[in-house]
Amino acid sequence: MENGFFDQLGFRWLFDAAADALLLIDAEGRIALSNTAAQEMFGRSGSQLDGQSVECLMPQRFRLHHRELRQAYGRDPHRRTAGLGLELVALKSSGEEFPAEISLSPLHANGQAFTLATVHNISSRKQLERDLLVKRREMDALQKVHVAAQTAAVIAHELNQPLLAISSYSKSALLMLDGNSPNPERLRQAVAGCELQTRRAGESIRELLAFLNMSECPAEIFDINREIREMLDTACAEHHLQVDSHLELELDLPPVKANRTHIQKTLLNLFHNGIEAMESGRIADPMLTVHTRSLPDEPLVQVSVADNGPGFSPDQRKRLFDPFFTTKSSGIGMGLAISRSLVEANGGHLWLENDCLPGAQFHLTLPVSP
Ligand code: ADP
């Protein structure tokens, strides 16, 4: 009868021409009219659809629930905005299921209430969503592995230096013991060196954990010139290479405000790197130069550390601060990456001088105490 009604109005052609699958459903949930796109979508002819309960277009397991929803909608169609997308599982005559998005609009014709359902097959969108989800899970897993690897590398970096020092102190202690008359004082120094390095390794790990939990890294006000002298002594004592150092430390430099341990670590790392570079480059007259000054226009102190080692190739320059970049057989490649984040966490910057030949020069800034 409804077909007749649409045909009478001459709208049938319009209904069939619609690209979307359209179903006109009566108050009892029967399909009053279906268009060509709907017939193609469900693999049924018009006569196979018209007059059927709309629940025949979905798998058995959803029919009862759908009937309840439909009846609730029939009682109050305006409770849900007409046209709002609703996702359902639809069923083709072949038995194949597919996800569908349905938009509903209530309408009245010939004194009867109908619902116009627009149905979209959203299989490809759902597939895309599933693919995206899989990709996102893969990315999440990769990121977790990356974070775990970085954390492991940072811990390894913190332990590497003290372990190397402990190993060389122990070796020299063993050599002394194997000799004819071990010198008790030198033996004591080697054992004391081991003890100091063990303590430093423990402190490093504690500091690292504190750094990860930034609230536990209080800033102190201190004299950076003094830290430079102490860290330079420490670094030189841990290498066989006899290094000359040249200090140009500004007198009356204002105190800086930063976490002292972070800055000690950064200085030590720059000094170790410089000494190791000169060692591996077999430099005849190795020299470390450290320069401090307060910047004229900003409340910052700048520290510059230079060596006369082999410097860098252009490729090394680009990757220097990348985690895991190392050219050393016993290196981990986290030193500069960690140093940069430590300096930045304290309100400063760490960078490489572009124009430094021969050798390498690093600069870092730190805020002066207000
Ligand atoms: P690691 O010391 O474990 O290699 P770093 O991040 O501290 O890690 O350094 C990364 C790399 O940068 C080093 O392996 C080295 O190749 C290069 N490098 C760092 N400092 C210097 C320097 N002063 N002179 C030459 N190369 C350096």
Side-chain angles (χ1 to χ4, degrees), residues 165-181:
I166 290 168
S167 157
S168 84
Y169 279 128
S170 316
K171 270 187 204 146
S172 52
L174 283 174
L175 277 175
M176 282 186 253
L177 286 171
D178 289 343
N180 287 337
S181 50

Side-chain angles (χ1 to χ4, degrees), residues 200-211:
R200 186 184 288 168
E203 272 164 27
S204 286
I205 295 301
R206 262 194 303 284
E207 284 295 332
L208 173 65
L209 295 175
F211 176 62

Side-chain angles (χ1 to χ4, degrees), residues 110-126:
N110 262 7
Q112 267 186 274
F114 292 95
T115 301
L116 182 67
T118 310
V119 188
H120 288 120
N121 183 334
I122 53 169
S123 301
S124 27
R125 192 178 88 198
K126 286 282 164 194

Side-chain angles (χ1 to χ4, degrees), residues 269 273-274 277 307 311-312 320 325-328 331-336 360:
N269 191 51
N273 275 348
D307 62 70
F312 312 95
L320 215 54
F325 173 73
T326 184
T327 55
K328 300 173 194 168
I332 291 161
M334 289 303 290
L336 287 174

Side-chain angles (χ1 to χ4, degrees), residues 25-28 68-86 102-108 112-117:
I25 299 161
D26 70 15
E28 276 72 47
E68 288 164 6
L69 286 179
R70 179 169 55 72
Q71 285 163 352
Y73 177 77
R75 283 192 295 276
D76 186 2
H78 295 289
R79 271 181 58 186
R80 227 195 37 227
T81 319
L84 198 75
L86 165 77
I102 324 279
S103 307
L104 301 176
S105 318
L107 64 86
H108 284 267
Q112 267 186 274
F114 292 95
T115 301
L116 182 67

Side-chain angles (χ1 to χ4, degrees), residues 213-246:
N213 179 4
M214 284 300 284
S215 58
E216 289 178 36
C217 288
E220 293 168 59
I221 295 167
F222 60 91
D223 174 13
I224 187 78
N225 286 345
R226 199 178 140 180
E227 299 304 323
I228 289 170
R229 285 195 194 91
E230 279 185 18
M231 291 304 113
L232 195 57
D233 285 349
T234 312
C236 290
E238 287 170 19
H239 290 272
H240 297 299
L241 189 71
Q242 286 299 309
V243 178
D244 267 346
S245 53
H246 179 60

Side-chain angles (χ1 to χ4, degrees), residues 294-311:
S294 44
L295 296 185
D297 302 323
E298 289 167 287
L300 295 171
V301 159
Q302 181 171 315
V303 180
S304 306
V305 179
D307 62 70
N308 59 348

Side-chain angles (χ1 to χ4, degrees), residues 117-311:
T118 310
V119 188
H120 288 120
N121 183 334
I122 53 169
S123 301
S124 27
R125 192 178 88 198
K126 286 282 164 194
Q127 186 57 47
L128 203 66
E129 282 172 11
R130 276 196 296 275
D131 291 349
L132 279 175
L133 195 69
V134 170
K135 284 270 168 301
R136 211 178 56 219
R137 289 210 181 114
E138 282 172 5
M139 294 288 288
D140 285 352
L142 264 181
Q143 203 187 355
K144 276 187 197 137
V145 170
H146 186 65
V147 169
Q150 277 202 342
T151 311
V154 171
I155 293 172
H157 171 86
E158 294 297 315
L159 294 180
N160 199 34
Q161 197 68 42
L163 284 177
L164 286 175
I166 290 168
S167 157
S168 84
Y169 279 128
S170 316
K171 270 187 204 146
S172 52
L174 283 174
L175 277 175
M176 282 186 253
L177 286 171
D178 289 343
N180 287 337
S181 50
N183 176 333
E185 181 48 27
R186 293 192 55 205
L187 206 52
R188 202 196 67 79
Q189 280 173 3
V191 176
C194 285
E195 196 273 335
L196 175 76
Q197 295 296 334
T198 313
R199 227 167 344 109
R200 186 184 288 168
E203 272 164 27
S204 286
I205 295 301
R206 262 194 303 284
E207 284 295 332
L208 173 65
L209 295 175
F211 176 62
L212 294 175
N213 179 4
M214 284 300 284
S215 58
E216 289 178 36
C217 288
E220 293 168 59
I221 295 167
F222 60 91
D223 174 13
I224 187 78
N225 286 345
R226 199 178 140 180
E227 299 304 323
I228 289 170
R229 285 195 194 91
E230 279 185 18
M231 291 304 113
L232 195 57
D233 285 349
T234 312
C236 290
E238 287 170 19
H239 290 272
H240 297 299
L241 189 71
Q242 286 299 309
V243 178
D244 267 346
S245 53
H246 179 60
L247 300 185
E248 294 172 27
L249 307 181
E250 187 175 284
L251 288 173
D252 304 324
L253 194 69
V256 296
K257 187 169 183 207
N259 181 278
R260 192 194 298 257
T261 320
H262 290 173
I263 305 312
Q264 287 176 339
K265 262 184 209 308
T266 304
L267 291 171
L268 257 187
N269 191 51
L270 294 178
F271 298 155
H272 278 312
N273 275 348
I275 298 171
E276 281 163 12
M278 295 187 288
E279 211 162 16
S280 71
R282 297 178 194 284
I283 304 298
D285 48 354
M287 163 82 84
L288 262 187
T289 306
V290 189
H291 179 107
T292 55
R293 66 186 182 115
S294 44
L295 296 185
D297 302 323
E298 289 167 287
L300 295 171
V301 159
Q302 181 171 315
V303 180
S304 306
V305 179
D307 62 70
N308 59 348

